[in-house]
Amino acid sequence: MSEIPFVNQLGDALDAAIARPAPARRTRLPRLGRRRYLAVALAALAVVGGGAALADILHDPVEIGFGAVGCFEGTGTDGNVAVIADPTRSPIDLCAGALAASGLEPRDLIACSWHGHDVVVVARGDEGSCRARGLAPLPRAYALGRKRAARMQALAVKFERRAGCLTPREFATRLTAALRRGGFRGWRAVARGGPGPCGRVSVASGSSVIGGIGPAVDATRRTVDVKGSPPLDLEMALEEPGSPGARLFDTTGERCFTATALERHVRRVFAPLETPISFTRRSLPEFVELMGARGDRYAEGCAVYEGAHFDYPDGRLEIVAELGQRDAPVGP
């Protein structure tokens, strides 16, 4: 955001005016007066930040803040690339982590704009500036857009963690109110359906059940999609690092289970979740190789835990635990 309070307040005012039509039959300023007021405001913006500042405020820059960043090992946009989206970190910091194995540090990288909207980070090398390599500098709105996107994401994720299992429609209604209280006037959350009973806006990222909200955001329509998902506390118990579900992987490497014994063990672990459990068994495909202790147990003919997911047979929530065992029949 701008460090100038006047610009911030004016941006909020314009944002609200664009997003919300004026109510009918209310006292209005005379037409000439309203024009003069807007002209003065726009002139002030031009003095403070130029035409680009006005464009940035009239068009919410949150879209570029949620965009993915392409991290290239070389000095140009070819070769190996890692694609990452995380508005909480700068493109340079994101790519320094992704390219650490290449020996590149933040000071060795430069962030540019590609095709007018994509953000790429390349090795600085001897190529000079972004323009020298056929790219454009990052737009002026990028820093503001990234900070605004990070703030929106933090607000939505905080709401999600505290919401419990609200229906997608109720989740969307309450999240819309939270967004507007947080300064995102004109934005709304929209229920989009989904198999689960609980509203969710974040998308799993890496090993974490709760990730970013970028895929749910449509900056053009100023909407955030809410989809039906399993209860968050159940998903975290199955998949979050350190959870009972995550520890099951280690357990099946520490001792040898028969399939029947492993089923009993999984039922005991998940009993506090008070959710029906069913099981599927299979032999792992030949191209799948288990590493470490779990691989050793599987090679010995022991049953191993492969993970779990949710299903909704007959409309009810059920945990489906997957077990692997050599020469096992496929099915329950």
Side-chain angles (χ1 to χ4, degrees):
M1 297 181 65
S2 170
E3 298 297 326
I4 304 174
F6 170 76
V7 176
N8 294 335
Q9 294 167 7
L10 181 57
D12 287 343
L14 290 175
D15 193 33
I18 293 168
R20 184 175 60 253
R25 298 185 180 280
R26 289 191 179 181
T27 303
R28 299 181 179 178
L29 293 172
R31 184 178 299 275
L32 181 58
R34 294 176 66 225
R35 285 181 178 174
R36 284 178 178 169
Y37 179 84
L38 184 59
V40 170
L42 299 187
L45 270 181
V47 170
V48 171
L54 173 60
D56 290 349
I57 289 181
L58 291 180
H59 174 72
D60 196 323
V62 74
E63 182 175 18
I64 57 175
F66 277 118
V69 177
C71 307
F72 289 89
E73 288 183 336
T75 57
T77 53
D78 54 12
N80 294 333
V81 60
V83 180
I84 311 171
D86 182 358
T88 66
R89 301 168 63 193
S90 73
I92 295 293
D93 288 341
L94 278 175
C95 293
L99 302 174
S102 301
L104 295 170
E105 299 181 2
R107 66 173 179 270
D108 302 321
L109 303 173
I110 182 172
C112 304
S113 180
W114 191 25
H115 297 161
H117 54 84
D118 296 321
V119 176
V120 296
V121 173
V122 296
R124 190 178 296 273
D126 298 325
E127 299 293 324
S129 67
C130 292
R131 295 193 187 281
R133 64 193 78 206
L135 303 171
L138 291 182
R140 292 185 183 182
Y142 181 76
L144 171 64
R146 187 174 66 80
K147 291 179 181 178
R148 187 165 168 80
R151 188 161 63 86
M152 175 185 283
Q153 178 168 287
L155 187 156
V157 168
K158 181 179 179 180
F159 174 86
E160 179 178 273
R161 285 183 178 275
R162 298 180 174 182
C165 187
L166 298 175
T167 65
R169 185 179 296 276
E170 182 63 18
F171 187 105
T173 297
R174 297 191 189 186
L175 178 57
T176 296
L179 287 170
R180 292 177 179 176
R181 287 194 303 270
F184 294 94
R185 297 180 178 88
W187 283 82
R188 60 192 177 93
V190 181
R192 299 296 189 189
C198 312
R200 182 79 58 79
V201 67
S202 70
V203 178
S205 175
S207 60
S208 178
V209 172
I210 299 179
I213 69 167
V217 174
D218 185 332
T220 302
R221 294 182 172 86
R222 296 195 177 194
T223 59
V224 181
D225 289 349
V226 177
K227 295 186 177 181
S229 300
L232 181 58
D233 58 342
L234 292 185
E235 276 208 281
M236 295 184 74
L238 261 63
E239 301 177 18
E240 197 72 4
S243 67
R247 289 196 297 270
L248 277 171
F249 288 95
D250 295 330
T251 302
T252 53
E254 294 165 356
R255 54 180 285 201
C256 183
F257 289 90
T258 65
T260 301
L262 183 53
E263 285 190 15
R264 288 198 300 265
H265 180 65
V266 172
R267 287 189 186 278
R268 284 196 299 270
V269 170
F270 289 150
L273 303 182
E274 299 181 347
T275 303
I277 303 175
S278 63
F279 294 86
T280 62
R281 305 179 191 176
R282 64 166 185 162
S283 296
L284 298 181
E286 292 183 2
F287 60 83
V288 175
E289 181 179 1
L290 293 180
M291 305 300 291
R294 291 177 68 242
D296 294 339
R297 301 293 83 75
Y298 183 80
E300 294 170 4
C302 309
V304 296
Y305 177 75
E306 288 192 75
H309 64 273
F310 292 96
D311 199 6
Y312 298 89
D314 304 322
R316 60 187 175 83
L317 178 67
E318 177 180 274
I319 298 172
V320 181
E322 300 161 351
L323 310 181
Q325 188 174 28
R326 291 193 326 180
D327 305 319
V330 177

